[in-house]
Amino acid sequence: SNHLGPVWEIKWIEREYHAGEERSENIITSSTDGKVTQWMIRKGFESVDLMKLKRIGKKTTPEQQAQQAQSQQGEGGEAGKAGQKLRGEAFISRFAGGLGFDFYPSNNNIYLVATEEGFIHKCSCSYNEQYLQTYTGHTGPVYKVKWSPFVQDCFLTCGSDWTIRLWHSDLTKPVLTFVSSTKSVNDICWSNVCATVFGAVSDNRIEIWDLRATNLDPVIISSVSDPETRLSTFLFSEGSSTLLVGDSSGHVTVYQLRNIAEPSTTHIQALRDIVLPIPSSQGITLSNTSITSTAPDR
């Protein structure tokens, strides 16, 4: 079946469809129609919904909603009318739009999905009716979610509420919240070279954060000179400090981070412990080369 709304993210994931079957590469998509869907290439692009993202409301947890529904069941008068209204609203807006998602680094049966409601849900490919966990903290749509490549229980999110948030999968509230502007944060990405470095793009600027130096402000900010250009996507390379930034004008700009320390046990432990290390004597510098347009002013 096709998605009925915009597809927000798409990934290649290697996993088995049924237990005992040979592992194969499948396509996973998330859409604002409220579905996370798996497409199986070997079966003629047959699809199955991994999760239908049911709304849980802005101010109540799934457990609280279940309690409210139970308390209203069978009640008459105003309480009965309230229950009917609640059920009617739930029917009209039953699913929450799915935005970014990411699979757990060491278990491709577990994934996180961000929603328009502002929640991040931990889900299993084995259960499409319930969430394993729900993370709360954002006050608007959450655009992206990314597991750390070094510390598998940590992940980052970003969204329309101007914030980047750092999480541990065992905690339902963010460990740290990063705010440096009054613009939506459109994309985030961990460095594949250093455990404490990540980057983000908002509408008009690139930010590089290094938790070794500070968790209060980015160590680099590169602004876009054209007010009509909106930065939309961001990606670190796999084996170097090169990064790519895409924008609304169709341009891709290549950046090179310099003076980034090689990953070490110290950097990984720093992220695990969420402890500020001693600042490096050498700052990080950023140089760029534009593929299709003049690179943004630094």
Side-chain angles (χ1 to χ4, degrees):
S1 61
N2 296 327
H3 282 295
L4 301 178
V7 175
W8 191 268
E9 189 151 2
I10 182 168
K11 291 180 183 289
W12 290 99
I13 301 294
E14 187 179 82
R15 60 182 303 271
E16 60 186 26
Y17 179 44
H18 293 298
E21 286 189 352
E22 182 182 352
R23 295 171 65 89
S24 61
E25 220 172 26
N26 298 308
I27 297 172
I28 311 294
T29 56
S30 62
S31 169
T32 55
D33 65 3
K35 297 178 181 179
V36 179
T37 302
Q38 175 177 268
W39 306 80
M40 291 152 287
I41 299 175
R42 291 188 177 182
K43 298 186 178 182
F45 274 99
E46 177 185 334
S47 67
V48 59
D49 293 332
L50 297 180
M51 179 62 69
K52 295 181 179 179
L53 301 168
K54 296 179 181 178
R55 289 188 179 274
I56 64 174
K58 282 292 182 183
K59 297 182 180 181
T60 59
T61 65
E63 292 79 8
Q64 291 171 330
Q65 284 199 328
Q67 291 174 357
Q68 290 175 357
Q70 186 176 8
S71 66
Q72 291 171 349
Q73 187 174 8
E75 295 183 359
E78 293 301 318
K81 294 178 181 178
Q84 291 175 359
K85 181 180 180 182
L86 178 64
R87 288 191 295 272
E89 290 176 350
F91 179 79
I92 292 172
S93 56
R94 185 167 49 178
F95 298 123
L99 301 179
F101 69 92
D102 201 16
F103 275 75
Y104 195 62
S106 61
N107 184 351
N108 57 16
N109 197 50
I110 303 296
Y111 61 95
L112 297 170
V113 58
T115 69
E116 291 179 332
E117 281 189 298
F119 299 119
I120 304 101
H121 301 302
K122 186 178 183 180
C123 305
S124 169
C125 294
S126 302
Y127 305 98
N128 63 0
E129 293 295 331
Q130 61 184 8
Y131 306 128
L132 301 181
Q133 186 65 273
T134 294
Y135 303 93
T136 61
H138 281 282
T139 57
V142 183
Y143 296 146
K144 296 290 182 177
V145 55
K146 299 288 177 66
W147 290 103
S148 165
F150 293 99
V151 181
Q152 64 179 10
D153 291 325
C154 292
F155 62 93
L156 285 171
T157 58
C158 67
S160 66
D161 60 358
W162 314 341
T163 68
I164 303 166
R165 297 177 191 255
L166 178 66
W167 310 73
H168 190 282
S169 61
D170 291 339
L171 304 175
T172 59
K173 297 290 184 181
V175 175
L176 287 174
T177 298
F178 311 98
V179 184
S180 63
S181 72
T182 56
K183 298 288 186 181
S184 297
V185 184
N186 300 323
D187 200 3
I188 48 171
C189 189
W190 291 97
S191 167
N192 291 296
V193 174
C194 183
T196 56
V197 174
F198 62 88
V201 290
S202 59
D203 284 354
N204 61 351
R205 70 182 192 174
I206 306 163
E207 297 177 356
I208 303 297
W209 294 76
D210 187 356
L211 300 183
R212 293 169 300 174
T214 177
N215 63 6
L216 300 178
D217 297 291
V219 293
I220 297 173
I221 296 175
S222 181
S223 298
V224 177
S225 57
D226 183 0
E228 300 298 322
T229 298
R230 173 180 174 272
L231 301 180
S232 55
T233 188
F234 178 97
L235 182 66
F236 274 106
S237 67
E238 289 290 336
S240 70
S241 296
T242 303
L243 57 100
L244 303 174
V245 176
D247 63 39
S248 60
S249 299
H251 300 152
V252 176
T253 305
V254 182
Y255 292 83
Q256 178 67 46
L257 289 176
R258 295 175 179 171
N259 300 327
I260 291 284
E262 290 296 319
S264 67
T265 304
T266 302
H267 299 149
I268 295 172
Q269 192 61 45
L271 182 57
R272 285 198 183 107
D273 297 339
I274 316 298
V275 173
L276 289 174
I278 299 173
S280 171
S281 59
Q282 282 189 308
I284 303 171
T285 60
L286 181 68
S287 63
N288 65 50
T289 303
S290 178
I291 293 177
T292 58
S293 67
T294 303
D297 292 341
R298 284 174 284 179

